[in-house]
């Protein structure tokens, strides 16, 4: 299951690894420092990337990705990896504060590194991230217009990690619980709430105890989260959208008043897991797998696949053989999400760019290889004819080998695949997983049929000096206050006024509107 970008705890910090090498022409130039083979010493490079929860890299002897890169490039690379979240960001900030930045890192802040740019910490990468230098990146993943619109404050200091443009956002429900209670998959919000009541009060698991809840999420003790169907009930689409040509921010719209009131109602009725606010990362999914929750949100294609051994479905069935999680939406043909915008960027510190441009060049060469078909296949599926076979454009996986050599040894390819999402269709590839079931294929059809709103079309940056982190932090505090203290959204207009005035939210959204208009995308 692909990583979830939510606040979490650090998992592993590995101070080893990865080597790679530049072109033969570069590495065989005569001069001082060449080894016996006429090759320059490996260039030391240090990167900081994300890893999925509990994933860890294997020994160097078992790490075929490392070995392959070592043979293709001449770089001795130290890799550090952590679960994205508060600890991840704190670690990066500590490195920056101590003037000990990694040579490249994947940003996990909500602002996409904009504060780093304002603080003058990032280097100009306009000479390194180009179609000539990174042909795979531009051919398959990010077009030049998107990259240009992604820049901040007239600085070319960031580039988005290749991102999945397919949308898999949907709620999942225990169909076997519905069957036991003679209920149907809810098609309206009112039906959904009635199902929550039944899951909470009517003993859906048949154990004679009142120990189940209708819905849960993991807010991590910070705000209320965005998994709630109540946003959509009140006409708000995740995470922002254009409405009649005007930009709408789902989290601060006036309609959040109704969202907070509706959330307070289902909480007040006892239909929501009481630990939802303090749950971290995927704890709510773990509880769902343990038979305590009946509805959760999923955002990945294989979230409940039979063929994904780490899916909610697989984990549930290991305990409850009849468990059956199916995707649904209680909002008919209304979109649940706007089109995918560029996500987190890869960044280079200003000192690295200015003092060691050769490092930046080498790193972008490696990243571009990862963005191509060869690097994609190796980091997502393993070694050809060992972990999968390839016949033309069809990839057939060998699940047993993958399980033994990759999953059981730390599911470590989920670290190496940090640079590209699992979307083989980008390369015209079809992946056949022998474990995939008819049920999996039905889930794929259901997800594909859920409509999405258009992508707003451009990356949005706050005005110079705007503290987006402080703005969002206060927003989350006020929304939590509304739910836990006010127990309704009655005070949201006043809270919103504070955000718009004291925290300069009006200036933020005026800037966003101007950027959208300048891009020719709105009023």
């Amino acid at each position: 299951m692909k990583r979830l970008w939510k606040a979490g705890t650090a998992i592993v910090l590995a101070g080893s690894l990865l080597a790679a090498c530049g072109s033969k022409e570069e590495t065989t130039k005569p001069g001082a420092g060449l080894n016996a083979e006429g090759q320059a010493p490996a260039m030391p490079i240090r990167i900081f990337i994300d890893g999925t929860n509990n994933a860890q890299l294997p020994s160097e002897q078992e790490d075929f990705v490392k070995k392959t890169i070592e043979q293709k490039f001449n770089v001795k690379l130290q890799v550090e990896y952590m679960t994205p979240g508060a600890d991840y960001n704190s670690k990066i900030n500590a490195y920056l504060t101590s003037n000990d930045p990694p040579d490249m890192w994947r940003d996990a802040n909500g602002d996409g590194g904009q504060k780093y740019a304002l603080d003058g910490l990032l280097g100009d990468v306009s000479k390194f991230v180009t179609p000539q230098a990174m042909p795979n990146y531009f051919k398959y993943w990010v077009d030049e217009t998107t990259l240009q619109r992604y820049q901040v404050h007239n600085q070319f200091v960031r580039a988005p990690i290749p991102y999945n443009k397919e949308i898999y956002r949907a709620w999942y429900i225990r169909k076997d619980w519905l069957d036991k209670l003679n209920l149907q998959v809810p098609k309206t919000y009112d039906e959904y709430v009635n199902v929550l009541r039944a899951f909470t009060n009517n003993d859906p698991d048949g154990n004679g105890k009142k120990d189940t809840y209708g819905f849960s999420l993991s807010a991590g003790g910070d705000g209320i989260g965005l998994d709630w169907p109540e946003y959509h009930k009140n006409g708000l689409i995740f995470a922002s959208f254009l409405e009649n040509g005007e930009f709408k921010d789902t989290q601060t719209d006036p309609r959040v008043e109704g969202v907070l009131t509706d959330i307070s109602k289902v909480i007040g009725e006892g239909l929501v897991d009481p630990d939802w606010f303090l749950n971290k990362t995927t704890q709510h999914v773990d509880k769902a797998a343990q038979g305590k929750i009946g509805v959760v949100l999923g955002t990945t294609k294989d979230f409940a696949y039979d063929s994904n051994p780490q899916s909610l479905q697989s984990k549930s069935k290991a305990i409850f053989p009849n468990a059956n999680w199916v995707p649904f939406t209680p909002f008919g043909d209304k979109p649940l999400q706007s089109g995918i915008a560029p996500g987190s960027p890869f960044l280079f510190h200003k000192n690295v760019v200015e003092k060691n441009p050769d490092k930046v060049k080498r790193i972008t060469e490696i990243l571009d290889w990862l963005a191509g078909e060869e690097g994609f296949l190796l980091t997502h599926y393993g070694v050809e004819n060992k972990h999968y076979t390839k016949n033309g454009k069809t990839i057939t996986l060998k699940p047993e080998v993958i399980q033994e050599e990759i999953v059981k040894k730390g599911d470590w390819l989920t670290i190496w695949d940090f640079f590209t999402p699992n979307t083989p269709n980008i390369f015209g590839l079809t992946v056949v997983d022998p474990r995939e079931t008819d049920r999996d294929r039905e889930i794929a059809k259901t997800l594909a049929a859920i409509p999405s709103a258009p992508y707003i079309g451009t990356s949005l940056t706050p005005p110079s000096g705007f503290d987006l982190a402080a703005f969002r932090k206060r927003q989350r505090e006020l929304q939590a206050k509304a739910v836990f203290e006010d127990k309704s959204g009655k005070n949201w207009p006043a809270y919103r006024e504070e955000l718009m005035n004291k925290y300069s939210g009006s200036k933020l959204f005026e800037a966003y509107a101007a950027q959208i208009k300048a891009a020719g995308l709105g009023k």
Side-chain angles (χ1 to χ4, degrees), residues 289-456:
Q290 294 160 9
K292 301 300 181 184
I293 312 296
V295 177
V296 292
L297 181 78
T299 58
T300 58
K301 186 175 184 178
D302 60 355
F303 181 77
Y305 270 22
D306 293 317
S307 55
N308 176 9
Q310 301 302 313
S311 75
L312 173 59
Q313 175 70 9
S314 296
K315 291 180 178 179
S316 296
K317 287 197 66 130
I319 304 172
F320 310 102
N322 294 324
N324 181 21
W325 289 94
V326 299
F328 80 104
T329 170
F331 302 108
D333 60 357
K334 294 181 180 178
L336 302 184
Q337 180 174 338
S338 58
I340 306 296
S344 59
F346 60 98
L347 303 174
F348 297 88
H349 194 274
K350 183 178 182 180
N351 291 345
V352 176
V353 173
E354 295 180 351
K355 297 178 181 180
N356 294 288
D358 287 346
K359 279 193 175 185
V360 181
K361 182 175 184 292
R362 194 66 59 85
I363 291 171
T364 53
E365 288 173 352
I366 295 170
L367 294 178
D368 192 60
W369 177 78
L370 292 172
E373 184 174 318
E374 181 182 346
F376 176 88
L377 287 172
L378 190 70
T379 55
H380 284 269
Y381 308 122
V383 178
E384 185 175 358
N385 295 324
K386 185 175 185 181
H387 302 103
Y388 69 89
T389 58
K390 188 172 186 286
N391 182 12
K393 287 292 188 177
T394 300
I395 305 297
T396 301
L397 303 183
K398 295 184 176 182
E400 296 80 8
V401 182
I402 293 172
Q403 180 70 20
E404 289 299 317
E405 297 189 1
I406 297 170
V407 177
K408 284 187 176 181
K409 294 183 178 180
D411 204 11
W412 54 277
L413 281 189
T414 61
I415 298 170
W416 278 116
D417 72 2
F418 76 96
F419 198 64
T420 53
N422 191 16
T423 52
N425 58 298
I426 286 289
F427 303 101
L429 298 171
T430 298
V431 175
V432 177
D433 186 337
R435 297 169 298 180
E436 190 171 284
T437 63
D438 290 340
R439 179 182 165 280
D440 292 347
R441 287 183 278 273
E442 281 300 314
I443 287 176
K445 289 180 183 178
T446 300
L447 294 175
I450 296 175
S452 60
Y455 164 46
I456 60 174

Side-chain angles (χ1 to χ4, degrees), residues 15 24 61-62 83 88 108 132 138 157 164 192 196 230 240 256 413 429 434:
K24 192 171 183 179
Q61 292 73 27
E62 295 176 304
T83 303
Y88 183 103
Q132 294 72 35
F138 284 92
V157 293
N164 185 0
Y192 160 75
L196 296 192
E230 285 70 20
S240 61
V256 169
L413 281 189
L429 298 171

Side-chain angles (χ1 to χ4, degrees), residues 216-220 272-280 283 287:
S216 189
L217 72 157
S218 293
V272 180
D273 166 27
D275 296 328
W276 70 270
F277 182 69
L278 296 178
N279 285 339
K280 294 182 178 181
Q283 285 184 329
K287 288 184 178 183

